[in-house]
Amino acid sequence: MERREEFKRWLQNERHNKSEKHIPERIIDSYLKSIHKVSDAMYELGVISKRLYSMKSVEEVQAAVNQIRKDRTYLTMNTESGNMHHKALNHYINFTEAKANQ
């Protein structure tokens, strides 16, 4: 199964921390688009060596996200997205950790 689809299914089973309600589909779609957008931009700028959806290990994803979060372009993108990119990356790290612990 494609990593993006695995992430989508994982998000569909996740719950908001505060409300314990499932994450709405429109938010899930926004997270999926955020990961794709950030991944493509950071790959094209040379901040990361491959796209996030192609990374499998927790260490690789965490290292990439740490690099991304230091980049000025990302910081601007995140601000413009209303912090959506930051939230999406957090979920992607959690997803990667959950997959590693299966």
Side-chain angles (χ1 to χ4, degrees), residues 37-55:
K37 184 175 182 175
V38 168
S39 180
D40 281 354
M42 295 297 102
Y43 176 76
E44 289 171 12
L45 289 170
V47 175
I48 55 177
S49 61
K50 60 185 181 180
R51 288 177 169 79
L52 291 169
Y53 284 132
S54 67
M55 297 179 186

Side-chain angles (χ1 to χ4, degrees), residues 75-93:
L75 294 172
T76 301
M77 289 171 63
N78 187 53
T79 300
E80 291 171 355
S81 76
N83 211 32
M84 180 64 71
H85 297 321
H86 178 79
K87 293 173 188 173
L89 288 172
N90 284 345
H91 281 293
Y92 196 68
I93 289 170

Side-chain angles (χ1 to χ4, degrees), residues 11-25:
L11 286 168
Q12 289 169 333
N13 292 317
E14 281 299 289
R15 297 178 185 272
H16 285 291
N17 289 339
K18 295 177 185 174
S19 68
E20 288 298 315
K21 293 182 181 178
H22 284 285
I23 301 170
E25 280 297 317

Side-chain angles (χ1 to χ4, degrees), residues 29-43:
D29 289 340
S30 293
Y31 289 158
L32 295 172
K33 289 175 188 171
S34 286
I35 295 297
H36 183 76
K37 184 175 182 175
V38 168
S39 180
D40 281 354
M42 295 297 102
Y43 176 76

